[in-house]
Amino acid sequence: MNTSTAPLETETTVPSVRHCGAALAVLTACVFVVGTAEWVMVGLLPELSADWHRPLPTVGSLVTWYALVVTVAGPLVTVGMLRLARRHALLVLLGVFVAGNLAAALAGSFNALVAARMLTALTHSTAFATAMVIAVAMMPAARRGRAIAVVTAGWNLATVLGAPLGTWIGDHYGWRITFWAITALAALVLCSVTVLVKPPALREIPRPLDEVRGLLRPRVGLVLTIIAVAQAALFTAYTYIAPLLQQVSDFTASAVTTLLALFGLGAVAGNVLGGRLADRAPWAGLCSLLVALAGVLAAFSFTSRIQWTSAFTVLVLGVVAAALIPLLQERALAAAPAAPTLVTAISASAFNLGVAGGSQLGGYALTTGLSLTDLPWTGALLAAGAVLIAAVTAQNHHTRQQ
């Protein structure tokens, strides 16, 4: 039996396919707006620095503190909301999210903006986790991996569409208009959840202590480690992909924008691939994609020197990086069948920890004298470590099933 079905044993029948399609679209939009609110800040930093007359490092703390709150507070907020029905919890979280972005748009001081961002960050992990678990609960067992892929596609769209569009709005109309736009979209999503998202009712309300106990399994820690190491491997190189493409591949700044869109196109295809693998062969698919990640990153150190091979590598990297996300999420859910919401929130923290760790490692490598072309190799070594952990975990899993 596919262990990914275990978290949902206490739920009633699955809704109709037509209703599931509309609900999945709304849940994807939920993840999209939450992701956009996080990533858009990077593009708004120069304007915020000029508007508040503060140096970039100071304004950059808006990004750092947001990520820290997501990492640390996310699981705690999730535990606090476990007694609420998942749909009600998502509505509450979206309400707070709307309030936080509205406060950011109206902020009269830099400190008020920081406070507004911290309020928004409190909802991040739990909103993502709740949307994910609702999506899985609404789909037949054979299609739950694809449900995860559809919802996580919202995250990829946030990076390749939402954040650039928000930055463009900020550049042309001011950063406050960006937050007004996010507020309006989040309010629309909230209304759509109210009307369209009707997950099967739980036969029993999950108890916070039961979900916490559900995490106390060695395999949970191993899967979370795989998530963090895999993301660190990717972001060791991806954080510095723009200067790599400009200084090594000799692309112009405008061409780099196009290449990042190419990465996004690859990510769309990767989501579909990852969802299908999650349904059919989760452990084999995960190990294969981690091997592919290590190979693509290692190759990038060489292919980055020629423009057409560099562009092709960016496309493939987008496919592999995005395909990993549904598999990693599905394995996290399968590792903690008694704690689906909490493990999803903690996996979001693991993703953020990997992003932060990879970015820091890449920056440290450059300060020690390594070149931009050395960063993909560094990421490849980390990916190889993730392969080893995943292979051992998969072998132990199969041994226990025999």
Side-chain angles (χ1 to χ4, degrees):
M1 184 182 75
N2 188 344
T3 54
S4 65
T5 65
L8 305 165
E9 291 174 348
T10 59
E11 292 165 336
T12 60
T13 57
V14 176
S16 68
V17 173
R18 179 179 296 179
H19 176 72
C20 285
L24 282 178
V26 172
L27 294 170
T28 302
C30 175
V31 173
F32 171 79
V33 72
V34 170
T36 297
E38 178 180 21
W39 293 112
V40 75
M41 185 57 68
V42 174
L44 297 178
L45 290 183
E47 186 179 349
L48 287 165
S49 176
D51 198 15
W52 296 113
H53 305 290
R54 293 173 182 261
L56 273 175
T58 301
V59 179
S61 65
L62 287 165
V63 177
T64 303
W65 282 106
Y66 189 101
L68 287 174
V69 171
V70 169
T71 302
V72 176
L76 300 177
V77 173
T78 302
V79 170
M81 302 195 72
L82 283 176
R83 288 193 172 276
L84 285 178
R86 288 166 183 161
R87 178 172 173 272
H88 295 160
L90 186 57
L91 290 172
V92 171
L93 291 163
L94 286 171
V96 176
F97 183 85
V98 169
N101 283 285
L102 179 61
L106 297 172
S109 67
F110 180 73
N111 288 337
L113 179 59
V114 172
R117 291 292 290 170
M118 297 307 97
L119 176 64
T120 305
L122 288 173
T123 68
H124 183 105
S125 287
T126 311
F128 177 82
T130 306
M132 182 72 64
V133 173
I134 289 175
V136 171
M138 297 183 73
M139 294 297 289
R143 297 180 62 87
R144 283 170 182 161
R146 273 166 275 191
I148 293 173
V150 170
V151 175
T152 55
W155 188 258
N156 288 316
L157 289 172
T159 61
V160 301
L161 177 63
L165 181 59
T167 300
W168 182 87
I169 292 172
D171 289 340
H172 287 78
Y173 303 104
W175 61 268
R176 293 183 188 275
I177 302 302
T178 297
F179 283 108
W180 277 112
I182 293 173
T183 301
L185 180 58
L188 178 61
V189 170
L190 190 155
C191 294
S192 299
V193 169
T194 303
V195 175
L196 296 173
V197 177
K198 298 176 181 179
L202 292 171
R203 291 174 182 167
E204 58 182 81
I205 300 299
R207 293 181 295 181
L209 187 57
D210 289 341
E211 288 233 356
V212 172
R213 286 172 178 164
L215 295 179
L216 302 180
R217 306 174 66 186
R219 188 150 53 101
V220 175
L222 289 170
V223 172
L224 294 175
T225 301
I226 295 168
I227 292 173
V229 175
Q231 289 302 292
L234 173 64
F235 277 86
T236 297
Y238 186 75
T239 302
Y240 298 93
I241 195 170
L244 176 66
L245 292 172
Q246 289 181 8
Q247 298 176 30
V248 179
S249 305
D250 202 27
F251 284 106
T252 63
S254 59
V256 169
T257 302
T258 303
L259 287 171
L260 293 181
L262 188 65
F263 180 94
L265 289 175
V268 173
N271 258 297
V272 176
L273 172 63
R276 292 184 181 277
L277 288 174
D279 285 332
R280 296 177 181 178
W283 276 121
L286 178 58
C287 292
S288 298
L289 284 171
L290 288 171
V291 170
L293 179 63
V296 173
L297 287 172
F300 203 11
S301 292
F302 303 99
T303 60
S304 60
R305 303 177 191 278
I306 304 173
Q307 286 191 340
W308 76 267
T309 56
S310 179
F312 180 74
T313 306
V314 169
L315 173 65
V316 176
L317 184 61
V319 173
V320 174
L324 275 168
I325 294 176
L327 281 157
L328 291 168
Q329 290 287 359
E330 192 277 339
R331 288 294 82 192
L333 283 167
T341 309
L342 186 54
V343 78
T344 306
I346 291 180
S347 70
S349 296
F351 273 103
N352 276 273
L353 183 62
V355 170
S359 300
Q360 287 293 318
L361 178 60
Y364 176 76
L366 293 176
T367 62
T368 60
L370 294 181
S371 67
L372 287 167
T373 55
D374 291 321
L375 297 185
W377 262 113
T378 306
L381 292 174
L382 282 173
V387 171
L388 180 61
I389 300 170
V392 171
T393 307
Q395 182 60 42
N396 290 339
H397 172 74
H398 291 312
T399 299
R400 283 196 301 270
Q401 284 191 325
Q402 292 175 352

